[in-house]
């Protein structure tokens, strides 16, 4: 199979760099093909701006979504963005690897999402009717492929627990897993997270590396997070509220968007 | 009072640009002083990299947190970052204004956070003991000041409701409100959010502008989100789990970190 690993750490001689090498090596050992987009090494441009839309008139107002739609349709997105889209369409699986900074991805990786996830490619796809609200959340141009986060965090694992002060790790990553990856269609695997990485030494590395290797070995067999598909009947259209009879009625937050029944049946 | 508005939209002639002007005008009409950091206009550098740490040796490994700590202590952070820190220490209130892209802030604003929120300034502050876990979550160098998000979103408000498919807006913004703003000490106000902004026309603008003016008039009187302080007794140390007797035991997600009793008493 084919895997694209998008890597966002400024220092190759970092734990992130070492884990990336571990992941790539294990994937290749399994017979897979791997491409790496190393955003810092490639000098990736982080911010969406006028330079992204060369055909936009000098005095024309920049409306990012409209400009993105027009450029995607006309094939006039910039070379760097088109290259990433090509890689995404090549890959059976996408891995985003990054250090968690301020509870989400570094700016350079957010800029990769902002620029590469074009209108007509990752959003604004499909028809709207009384039975569908476009192709998103489980459908879309990237449906049938897998995605997974590989994250390092400076804090203690306990602080990211269900009752930990930072908030549960799965909820902190929901805007990425559900909002960025599931949205254009990916089946999203549970994230790989390494905690307290500022205190790592040689003896701490190998168990984490082995845990990552195992996740690479099961990349195409592990169960995805059972997010509910938008157009499969669980949501009312056009309000897109979860049907009142579904989900724990006392639950708050993101948890109701998981189909617990599906996951219980699988276990 | 003094207000810093950090603004992150690439097009001055946008709804965001118009709302920024409305906010600034209303704040000045109330007799406040306002500074605006217009990240696109200022050519803000988005990504954390070696150039942020000019004293780092050429062959030295870049460990972002360690480099940030050293540079903050020695006063060798870059000029642009030092200018922003100065503004933050000047301001009684901070407003972050941005279009929501992929359920969070644009890359350029994330880069402002990643670079300006230095170690020793916004994190890594205070002592650790059996009664404190540093000065964070309600304490820290920015305690006693207020912060607020002003956000525009392309989607429907219903889709961001408690049972809406995107997830509840307050949960989507929790990593920012709690993780970025409350963390270094800010009292965080409920966000201002304008929805379906791609469909705005002249007649739609004025009601939204008036809603924003009202929020600017109450910037220093509105009740902050009642997040629980880390070191005030609600959390066990060092696990930082919410004490078992606190919070709705059936609640999931971020909601347990709100002191509902405090907010009920205030109403």
């Amino acid at each position: 199979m084919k895997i694209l690993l998008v890597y966002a750490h400024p220092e190759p001689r970092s734990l992130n760099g070492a884990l990336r090498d571990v992941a790539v090596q294990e994937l290749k050992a399994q017979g897979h093909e791997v491409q790496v987009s190393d955003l810092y090494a490639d000098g990736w441009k982080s911010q969406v701006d006028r330079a992204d839309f060369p055909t936009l008139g000098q005095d024309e107002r920049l409306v990012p979504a409209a400009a993105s739609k027009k450029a995607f349709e006309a094939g006039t997105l910039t070379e760097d963005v088109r290259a990433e889209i090509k890689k995404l369409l090549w890959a059976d699986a996408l891995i985003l690897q990054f250090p968690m900074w301020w509870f989400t991805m570094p700016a350079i990786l957010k800029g990769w999402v902002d620029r590469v996830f074009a209108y007509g490619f990752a959003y604004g796809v499909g028809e709207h009717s009384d039975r569908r609200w476009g192709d998103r959340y489980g459908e879309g141009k990237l449906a049938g492929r897998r995605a997974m986060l590989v994250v390092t965090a400076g804090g203690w694992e306990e602080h990211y627990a269900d009752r930990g002060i930072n908030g549960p790790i799965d909820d902190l990553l929901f805007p990425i897993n559900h909002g960025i990856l599931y949205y254009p269609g990916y089946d999203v695997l549970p994230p790989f997270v390494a905690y307290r990485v500022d205190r790592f030494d040689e003896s701490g590395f190998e168990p984490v590396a082995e845990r990552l290797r195992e996740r690479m070995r099961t990349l195409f067999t592990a169960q995805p997070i059972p997010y509910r598909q938008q157009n499969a009947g669980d949501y009312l259209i056009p309000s897109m509220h979860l049907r009142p009879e579904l989900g724990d009625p006392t639950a708050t937050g993101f948890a109701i968007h998981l189909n617990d029944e599906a996951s219980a049946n699988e276990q």
Side-chain angles (χ1 to χ4, degrees), chain A residues 4 8 10 39 62 78:
Chain A
L4 172 62
L39 300 186
L62 169 57
T78 55

Side-chain angles (χ1 to χ4, degrees), chain A residues 157-169:
Chain A
E157 183 166 3
E158 289 94 322
H159 300 190
Y160 294 92
D162 277 355
R163 293 176 63 86
I165 192 165
N166 294 338
I169 188 71

Side-chain angles (χ1 to χ4, degrees), chain A residues 20-75:
Chain A
R20 175 196 56 186
D21 295 345
V22 162
V24 170
Q25 201 169 24
E26 183 62 35
L27 290 168
K28 287 185 174 168
Q30 300 292 318
H32 300 311
E33 287 176 71
V34 185
Q35 287 194 67
V36 175
S37 291
D38 183 335
L39 300 186
Y40 276 99
D42 298 346
W44 182 260
K45 173 176 166 286
S46 299
Q47 71 282 5
V48 171
D49 59 20
R50 298 187 77 85
D52 289 318
F53 311 107
T55 64
L56 193 73
Q58 210 185 323
D59 296 326
E60 209 177 330
R61 208 156 65 95
L62 169 57
V63 181
S68 176
K69 179 175 196 275
K70 195 171 157 190
F72 178 72
E73 283 171 1

Side-chain angles (χ1 to χ4, degrees), chain A residues 94-262:
Chain A
L94 168 67
I95 295 171
L96 300 183
Q97 188 192 341
F98 59 91
M100 193 149 69
W101 289 349
W102 294 103
F103 301 108
T104 185
M105 52 178 66
I108 198 170
L109 181 55
K110 182 59 185 3
W112 180 88
V113 174
D114 289 345
R115 296 183 61 227
V116 174
F117 275 33
Y119 189 110
F121 174 60
Y123 69 113
V125 174
E127 297 298 313
H128 288 64
S129 69
D130 57 352
R131 297 188 47 197
R132 314 183 52 75
W133 192 268
D135 296 345
R136 60 174 196 172
Y137 291 126
E139 297 176 291
K141 299 222 166 156
L142 296 163
R145 301 164 200 261
R146 302 189 146 216
M148 174 179 162
L149 303 182
V150 172
V151 180
T152 60
W156 288 31
E157 183 166 3
E158 289 94 322
H159 300 190
Y160 294 92
D162 277 355
R163 293 176 63 86
I165 192 165
N166 294 338
I169 188 71
D170 285 338
D171 287 324
L172 290 165
L173 296 178
F174 181 94
I176 302 174
N177 278 330
H178 186 262
I180 293 175
L181 296 173
Y182 189 60
Y183 193 103
Y186 282 112
D187 289 327
V188 184
L189 300 182
F192 173 90
V193 187
Y195 296 95
R196 292 199 75 185
V197 292
D198 295 343
R199 303 297 174 98
F200 258 53
D201 55 17
E202 291 291 322
S203 69
F205 179 73
E206 186 46 35
V208 172
E210 184 49 33
R211 191 157 60 85
L212 180 59
R213 281 187 207 105
E214 177 59 19
R215 291 300 306 273
M216 295 300 100
R217 286 192 286 268
T218 57
L219 189 59
F220 293 98
T221 54
Q223 287 295 333
I225 303 172
Y227 292 132
R228 297 172 184 276
Q229 280 201 22
Q230 173 180 267
N231 296 315
D234 286 358
Y235 295 92
L236 301 165
I237 296 178
S239 74
M240 287 302 152
H241 286 188
L242 186 64
R243 287 185 177 281
E245 67 272 23
L246 297 176
D248 179 350
T250 67
T252 52
F254 299 134
I256 60 169
H257 301 289
L258 295 167
N259 187 346
D260 288 327
E261 223 162 280

